[in-house]
Amino acid sequence: DPILAESENFKRRQSAFEHWEFHVPGKVWLRSCTSDANEVATSVEVTQDADHFIFAFDCEEPRMKEVVASRNKPDSDVWADSCVELFLNPSGDRKNYYHFVVNPNGTLADYRCRKNEKSDIRWNSGATVAVSRGTDSWKAKITVPKKCLGNYRKDGFPVNFARSRILAGKQPLEKAYQWSIMPFDVKHGFHAIECFGRMIPAPVKADSDLVKDGAFNVDKETAYKAGRWMIWQGAGQNAGQKTELDTNCFIIGGKSLYLVNVSSKRLAASQYLPDLKPGKKYRLS
C-alpha cells in the first residue's frame, strides 16, 4: 500500500510538472527552496542571438555590504560564495548537462556533468560574464555560445536556475532559491536533473492562453482594475477587504493575487473570456 500511494503521488507531481516551461525570449522568477515566501526577489531574463543564449540574473540584496564573495580565480569553488547557477541539458536526456556558477565578483566556474558522476571542471564553455553591483542588488549576465552545447534540441530542453545567498553575520531566512517547481532534493540539491523545467528556444505563440495576465505579473491601475483583471469588492473600499499583488509568495510570474475578505461579504477578481467555444474542453492550470 505505501508503494501504491507513493506511485499516485509521483503521477500527480509529474502531471503538474509537464507544463513547467518557458519560451525564449522570456523571464522566470526563482522561489525559496524550503518556504512559500521569498525573502528577496530573483529573476532571470533569457534572450538569444544567432550564436549565443544570454541569461541575465537580477538578484535583490538589501544586505549588499555583507555579501560573501571571496573567490576571484576562474574554476575555483565559486559555489561557496553568494552566487547564481545555471544548468543546461541541451540533449534532453536528463543525464548529461552543463553547470555554470558566477559570484558577485564576476568569477565563473563552468563544468561538464553527468548524473551521479563527478563533475568535469576541465571543460571550458567559452562563456563570458558581466556583473554589476548596486546598493540593494547585484546582476550577472552569462553569455553562453551555442556551439558549446552541441546539437541541442530546438523544440526545448531541460534547464534550471538557482541562487545561493551567502552572507556574513546573521544568516538569511532562506539561502537557496531555484526555478524548478519540484520539491527540493536534499541529496542532489540544484543538480536534481529529473526536476528541471524546459526552456523552448522559440517565441511563445501569440494569444496562446485564453486567460490573460494569468500569472498576475501586472500592476493595479485602479482599485478595481489590474491588467485584464476586474476587481470587485462587495463591502466597498474602506470595510477591510483587500485585493493586492504579492511579490513574496507566488508560483510563476513573480507575483500572486492576494485576497483578504471580511465576514459575509463577497470579493472577486474576474475577466471575460469571449473566445471560449461551446462543446470544447479547456485545461485550467
Side-chain angles (χ1 to χ4, degrees):
D1 286 351
I3 293 175
L4 292 174
E6 183 55 33
S7 173
E8 289 304 311
N9 286 335
F10 176 80
K11 289 176 184 177
R12 280 194 293 270
R13 287 197 300 269
Q14 290 303 113
S15 177
F17 187 54
E18 283 178 4
H19 295 273
W20 193 246
E21 61 191 24
F22 74 95
H23 290 249
V24 180
K27 189 173 184 178
V28 300
W29 283 260
L30 278 54
R31 300 164 62 242
S32 165
C33 288
T34 61
S35 171
D36 287 334
N38 302 286
E39 194 176 7
V40 294
T42 311
S43 64
V44 188
E45 188 166 4
V46 185
T47 55
Q48 64 177 322
D49 59 29
D51 300 315
H52 306 87
F53 286 114
I54 301 135
F55 304 90
F57 288 77
D58 189 346
C59 305
E60 179 187 23
E61 183 49 77
R63 298 168 58 187
M64 281 299 296
K65 293 182 180 179
E66 300 173 66
V67 165
V68 174
S70 60
R71 279 75 180 176
N72 294 302
K73 182 180 178 181
D75 288 340
S76 59
D77 51 348
V78 182
W79 48 264
D81 284 340
S82 276
C83 64
V84 294
E85 301 184 50
L86 166 65
F87 300 83
L88 304 175
N89 172 219
S91 69
D93 63 0
R94 294 193 183 268
K95 293 180 181 179
N96 298 280
Y97 61 102
Y98 302 110
H99 179 204
F100 304 79
V101 191
V102 175
N103 70 6
N105 297 340
T107 307
L108 169 69
D110 50 5
Y111 306 80
R112 179 166 46 202
C113 307
R114 183 173 173 82
K115 184 178 178 180
N116 298 326
E117 294 183 9
K118 186 177 180 180
S119 301
D120 181 7
I121 191 63
R122 297 170 300 175
W123 179 70
N124 183 17
S125 64
T128 58
V129 173
V131 166
S132 63
R133 296 189 186 215
T135 56
D136 57 1
S137 68
W138 67 280
K139 300 180 181 182
K141 181 184 289 187
I142 308 173
T143 301
V144 179
K146 292 179 178 179
K147 64 181 181 181
C148 81
L149 304 179
N151 187 24
Y152 66 88
R153 293 194 55 156
K154 306 304 186 291
D155 61 344
F157 55 85
V159 301
N160 198 17
F161 309 96
R163 175 186 178 186
S164 293
R165 194 169 171 235
I166 309 301
L167 303 175
K170 184 180 178 181
Q171 293 305 297
L173 297 176
E174 176 61 79
K175 293 182 179 180
Y177 292 77
Q178 69 171 348
W179 176 59
S180 172
I181 197 173
M182 299 297 275
F184 188 63
D185 187 318
V186 177
K187 181 179 179 181
H188 296 103
F190 301 140
H191 289 258
I193 193 170
E194 63 276 8
C195 297
F196 291 5
R198 274 200 325 145
M199 179 179 84
I200 302 172
V204 66
K205 294 181 181 178
D207 299 323
S208 60
D209 293 326
L210 289 171
V211 178
K212 308 305 178 187
D213 300 326
F216 299 106
N217 190 9
V218 293
D219 296 317
K220 282 186 71 174
E221 300 153 42
T222 70
Y224 301 101
K225 189 174 188 300
R228 300 289 186 93
W229 295 97
M230 298 175 289
I231 297 167
W232 184 70
Q233 297 180 176
Q237 285 298 301
N238 301 309
Q241 288 182 317
K242 293 182 182 179
T243 306
E244 300 174 346
L245 294 160
D246 183 8
T247 59
N248 294 321
C249 182
F250 59 85
I251 301 297
I252 59 173
K255 290 183 181 179
S256 63
L257 186 67
Y258 177 50
L259 307 175
V260 178
N261 206 1
V262 294
S263 179
S264 75
K265 299 298 180 180
R266 292 186 177 182
L267 187 64
S270 62
Q271 64 177 269
Y272 293 113
L273 303 178
D275 295 329
L276 289 178
K277 292 180 172 55
K280 287 190 175 292
K281 293 181 178 181
Y282 293 91
R283 181 179 187 272
L284 181 66
S285 65

